[in-house]
Amino acid sequence: EEIRRRNARNALERYTHYYERYHAHDVARKKANEALTGTLQHMIAQVSEGRLGGGVARRPGLGWGVGRRARPPAPPIGRRRGVRGRMPST
């Protein structure tokens, strides 16, 4: 009888634990979805009013930073500096 009672209590605690985790994840998912929807609606309103999307994309002939890089490309492998900072001899 005691073993049955202990097993039932353990099963109930396990069920409650996973239910609470599921519920917390569900609430967080719904909140994130609401935030995303609000952000997208705000951004669409900004673009339609012409207040978002300036800079490079506004210039004729250029897309969103087409042809631009955040930093210059790395030199070819054979031209990189050695351990002591010297250029390797070729």
Side-chain angles (χ1 to χ4, degrees):
E1 182 68 29
E2 180 63 31
I3 292 173
R4 252 187 52 212
R5 194 173 291 148
R6 190 178 332 129
N7 287 342
R9 186 180 321 115
N10 288 342
L12 181 62
E13 286 177 4
R14 191 167 40 252
Y15 173 82
T16 304
H17 167 76
Y18 285 110
Y19 175 80
E20 288 172 353
R21 280 185 60 186
Y22 170 81
H23 181 69
H25 283 277
D26 193 44
V27 168
R29 182 187 58 81
K30 287 178 182 176
K31 187 179 283 191
N33 197 17
E34 289 172 5
L36 176 64
T37 302
T39 301
L40 289 176
Q41 289 174 349
H42 178 73
M43 289 180 72
I44 289 170
Q46 294 281 321
V47 169
S48 65
E49 294 171 5
R51 293 192 289 166
L52 191 66
V56 175
R58 291 282 211 165
R59 287 198 243 148
L62 292 178
W64 290 97
V66 174
R68 296 184 178 260
R69 298 180 77 118
R71 59 182 176 191
I77 299 289
R79 299 293 299 164
R80 291 189 181 166
R81 293 187 179 272
V83 176
R84 296 186 178 190
R86 297 182 314 234
M87 292 296 288
S89 58
T90 53

